[in-house]
Amino acid sequence: MKKLLVISAALGLAVLTSCRSDNDNESEQLTLTGNWRPDKIVSTTTSGGTSTSTTVVTDACQQKGRIMFTTDTSGKINYYDNVNGTCSLLFDLDMTYSYNPGTKDFSITTNGNKMDGAVTMLTSSNMVVYYVDKSNPDSTNRVEISATKVAN
C-alpha cells in the first residue's frame, strides 16, 4: 500500500512538473518580433478632466499599416488612411522599443517621444498593446491597438 501511494505521488509530481515546464516554455517563446497589422485602435484623450474616446475598426486601407518589431529592439510604424478617396501612407516612423515579458511593461520611442504602456494580450498570432502619449502638455492620450501577426 505504501509503494502504491509513493508511486502515485511520484507520478502526480511528474505530471505537474511536466505541465508547468511546457507552459513556461510557451510563454518564453512569445515575443513582439514580427509584423503586426492593426485591426482596432481605441484612443482615449483626457484634457481638463474630460475624456473623449474614439474607436476605429480598421478598413482595408488602414490594414495596410504595420507595426514592425525587430529582434534588436528597433522597428517601424506605418499608418495608412483614406485621404480624399485615396488610400495614402500618412506616416512611416522609425522606433525603438522595450518589452519585459515578466511584467508585460512596454515602451516605444519615436521622434524623441517615449510612450509607456503594457502588452495586455499576446499569442503567436494576436496582440493587444496600449501606450500613453504625453507629448501634448495639455492632454494625455491612451492608445490601445489590437493587432494580428502577418507575413509582411
Side-chain angles (χ1 to χ4, degrees), residues 127-148:
M127 81 167 173
V128 177
V129 61
Y130 80 87
Y131 63 88
V132 179
D133 182 357
K134 297 179 183 177
S135 61
N136 182 345
D138 296 328
S139 65
T140 300
N141 190 23
R142 183 184 189 276
V143 179
E144 180 179 271
I145 302 171
S146 301
T148 301

Side-chain angles (χ1 to χ4, degrees), residues 1-15:
M1 184 71 170
K2 283 185 182 180
K3 284 184 182 181
L4 186 57
L5 183 59
V6 171
I7 291 171
S8 296
L11 284 173
L13 184 59
V15 168

